[in-house]
Amino acid sequence: VAGNFSYDGTNGPSHWGKEHKMCLGKYQSPIDIEEKDVTTMTFPELQFSGIEGSHKAYMTNNGHTVMIQSFDSNVPSISGGSLNGTYVFQQLHFHWGQNDNLGSEDLINNHSFSMELHVVFWKKEYDSYEEAIKRNDGLTVLGYLYQAMDEPNPIFESIVQQMPDIIGVGSNVTISDNNVLKKLVAPDIASAQNYFTYSGSLTTPPCLEIVQWIDFVKPQHISHEQLAAFRSIQSTDGTNLTHNFRPVQPLDGRTVYRNIAGVES
Ligand code: B30
Ligand code: ZN
């Protein structure tokens, strides 16, 4: 829990730049990805390690999202793709909206999805998260878009069932499902090479411009009811955290790439 930023009023996104100058920078996230403007590219295979097996994980209400971390020695990592080096899992968290028609941070062709999952990794070469965030290639974040539907997604069963335990800011609970991390970090190996990638920032203060974004093209799904559970947690100001997405920021000449998987060699 850091800072007193929020998503409305005098601490809302348009005011973040007063205390955090970098939020006014040129390479901010999220963005609207226009498919007609992307540059196709064949990157080396994006590789996931350490996702097999179970991971003890806990979830926290940090006042601005539901965050999941692991206290397991078997930590997921990723390499390949547009990345230079190996990146180690730090945490994952969610962004959602007041209703199911909005909530994702990144947009595709100006279309909002109902929720977005961010899986945050730091560059192993820098030895710790705290050191990595001082470097311009310190982090990579995987973005998964979720569309609300009638059908529940079994991945969210334990999270939704345990949500009442983290209503208060600062509260946390051990997640009963030890496979939740694996299922959220790499839900669909068949679609894992189909992504957009671009250079951007943290989407919350301090808005550091240190993130290689990897946004998967294929949306995942969640039920309307499961999504509603996320809106039940409290925010720093004591009201319900009904929404926590930052509006899109100017692309300002940046290139967004789309990976077109090559032939395996
Ligand atoms: S995001 O994926 O671009 N939304 C941070 C990491 C990823 C994103 C945004 C922010 C980050 O590291 N923030 C500062 C550290 N935070 C972690 C956090 O997620 O939430 C720790 C903290 O406060 O003390 Cu609030
Ligand atoms: Zn995020």
Side-chain angles (χ1 to χ4, degrees), residues 105-141:
E105 297 209 295
D106 289 301
L107 310 185
I108 296 183
N109 300 332
N110 216 36
H111 177 82
S112 286
F113 292 81
S114 314
M115 185 175 81
E116 186 167 336
L117 161 61
H118 287 160
V119 189
V120 182
F121 296 80
W122 54 273
K123 195 169 186 175
K124 196 174 183 177
E125 185 181 322
Y126 301 141
D127 291 327
S128 70
Y129 189 77
E130 290 67 31
E131 290 305 312
I133 62 173
K134 298 173 185 166
R135 313 299 287 260
N136 63 16
D137 62 348
L139 299 187
T140 186
V141 181

Side-chain angles (χ1 to χ4, degrees), residues 52-100:
E52 292 315 317
S54 63
H55 300 84
K56 267 200 165 37
Y58 60 100
M59 66 176 180
T60 307
N61 172 353
N62 68 15
H64 39 257
T65 188
V66 171
M67 181 167 74
I68 295 179
Q69 291 173 282
S70 174
F71 34 57
D72 216 290
S73 52
N74 172 27
V75 181
S77 66
I78 56 171
S79 62
S82 53
L83 303 172
N84 204 330
T86 296
Y87 286 74
V88 181
F89 174 77
Q90 174 71 16
Q91 51 111 331
L92 61 82
H93 62 268
F94 303 88
H95 300 268
W96 59 86
Q98 299 89 324
N99 64 64
D100 297 353

Side-chain angles (χ1 to χ4, degrees), residues 1 3-8 11 61-66 96 166-171 230-244:
V1 186
N4 56 353
F5 74 91
S6 78
Y7 289 90
D8 285 303
N11 288 323
N61 172 353
N62 68 15
H64 39 257
T65 188
V66 171
W96 59 86
I166 61 158
I167 297 300
V169 175
S171 54
F230 286 83
R231 301 185 190 110
S232 71
I233 70 163
Q234 283 173 1
S235 69
T236 343
D237 66 12
T239 65
N240 279 19
L241 188 58
T242 56
H243 58 106
N244 61 355

Side-chain angles (χ1 to χ4, degrees), residues 219-233:
Q220 309 291 309
H221 72 272
I222 183 167
S223 74
H224 308 287
E225 271 186 296
Q226 288 178 321
L227 192 45
F230 286 83
R231 301 185 190 110
S232 71
I233 70 163

